[in-house]
Amino acid sequence: MLKKIFSLLIFLAIGTMVYAQTVKVINAKTGLEIQNVSVFDSNKKFNRQTDQNGQINLSEFSTDAIITFRHPSFMQFSVAKSSLADGQVISLSELILEMNEVVVSANKWEQSSDEIPNSIAKIDGKSIEFQNPQTTADLLSNSGKVFVQKSQLGGGSPMIRGFSANSLLIVIDGIRMNNAIFRAGNLQ
């Protein structure tokens, strides 16, 4: 009886090794594993993620499925499951995002900087890339044009000419970001 159970266990182990198809997802530039890569088929019937070692078992996906590997920091990659071998390495290229210039203005309409009587500080993309700040508060304080009182969780409140919090009007895309009803202290 013990031999039959042992034989059955060996048969099951060999059967799962034959049908198992594990692939590893790595960064094409650095060669490091990428964890939490969404892996799904063309029907979006199965949606799994890579583990902390960048590996995923594709045995649940059908053999004729087109499998897509997607991560927010990397370019999307699709491949047919039939062309993937067990233990194959998938290399994903980093996705480089470029942002356009951000204009902060005091008016609701666009004006030339020559027509505005106030001083204007401009921070270009190259200096932002060089400084590599973690938050907008760090970016503003590193510019040397505005004093920023930092708070918890990466927040910061700008202080302009001694005024802060509800004494300043902070607007992003026409939406007021600070509100006088909360308190007189710094809010951002």
Side-chain angles (χ1 to χ4, degrees), residues 2 40 56 66 90 94 103 106-107 110-111 116 128 131 180:
L2 186 60
F40 53 90
I56 186 165
I66 302 294
I90 305 290
E94 290 183 5
V103 177
N107 299 325
E110 189 174 335
Q111 286 182 307
I116 299 173
I128 294 172
Q131 292 177 13

Side-chain angles (χ1 to χ4, degrees), residues 4 9 11 15 18 28 49 52 61 72 75 98 105 111 116 128-129 139 150-151 161 166 172 175 182:
K4 288 182 181 181
L9 287 175
F11 178 72
V18 169
Q49 287 189 337
Q52 66 271 9
F61 295 91
M75 296 180 74
E98 291 189 27
S105 66
Q111 286 182 307
I116 299 173
I128 294 172
E129 187 176 338
L139 174 66
K150 293 186 180 180
S151 61
R161 297 184 183 149
N166 62 352
I172 296 178
I175 300 171
F182 290 116

Side-chain angles (χ1 to χ4, degrees), residues 24-186:
K24 186 174 189 176
V25 183
I26 63 167
N27 184 336
K29 188 175 182 181
T30 63
L32 298 174
E33 302 90 12
I34 307 171
Q35 61 183 0
N36 298 328
V37 176
S38 289
V39 181
F40 53 90
D41 62 354
S42 52
N43 301 330
K44 297 198 177 166
K45 183 177 179 182
F46 293 108
N47 188 359
R48 303 287 183 263
Q49 287 189 337
T50 57
D51 61 9
Q52 66 271 9
N53 298 325
Q55 296 181 344
I56 186 165
N57 187 340
L58 302 176
S59 59
E60 294 180 356
F61 295 91
S62 64
T63 55
D64 60 341
I66 302 294
I67 298 177
T68 303
F69 297 85
R70 182 184 293 168
H71 190 276
S73 301
F74 296 88
M75 296 180 74
Q76 181 174 308
F77 178 73
S78 296
V79 65
K81 182 185 176 192
S82 58
S83 66
L84 293 174
D86 186 36
Q88 185 169 345
V89 176
I90 305 290
S91 299
L92 297 182
S93 300
E94 290 183 5
L95 180 65
I96 299 172
L97 298 174
E98 291 189 27
M99 294 179 60
N100 294 331
E101 180 182 33
V102 177
V103 177
V104 179
S105 66
N107 299 325
K108 291 186 178 183
W109 58 88
E110 189 174 335
Q111 286 182 307
S112 171
S113 60
D114 298 335
E115 298 173 0
I116 299 173
N118 302 334
S119 64
I120 296 174
K122 183 177 180 182
I123 304 172
D124 61 346
K126 287 185 181 181
S127 66
I128 294 172
E129 187 176 338
F130 179 73
Q131 292 177 13
N132 195 18
Q134 292 181 342
T135 64
T136 308
D138 290 336
L139 174 66
L140 290 175
S141 64
N142 290 341
S143 72
K145 307 291 184 184
V146 177
F147 174 73
V148 177
Q149 181 179 353
K150 293 186 180 180
S151 61
Q152 71 278 4
L153 299 174
S157 180
M159 300 184 97
I160 301 175
R161 297 184 183 149
F163 293 105
S164 65
N166 62 352
S167 300
L168 295 176
L169 175 61
I170 302 172
V171 179
I172 296 178
D173 292 335
I175 300 171
R176 185 182 182 129
M177 297 307 294
N178 56 345
N179 196 337
I181 63 171
F182 290 116
R183 61 185 176 104
N186 295 323

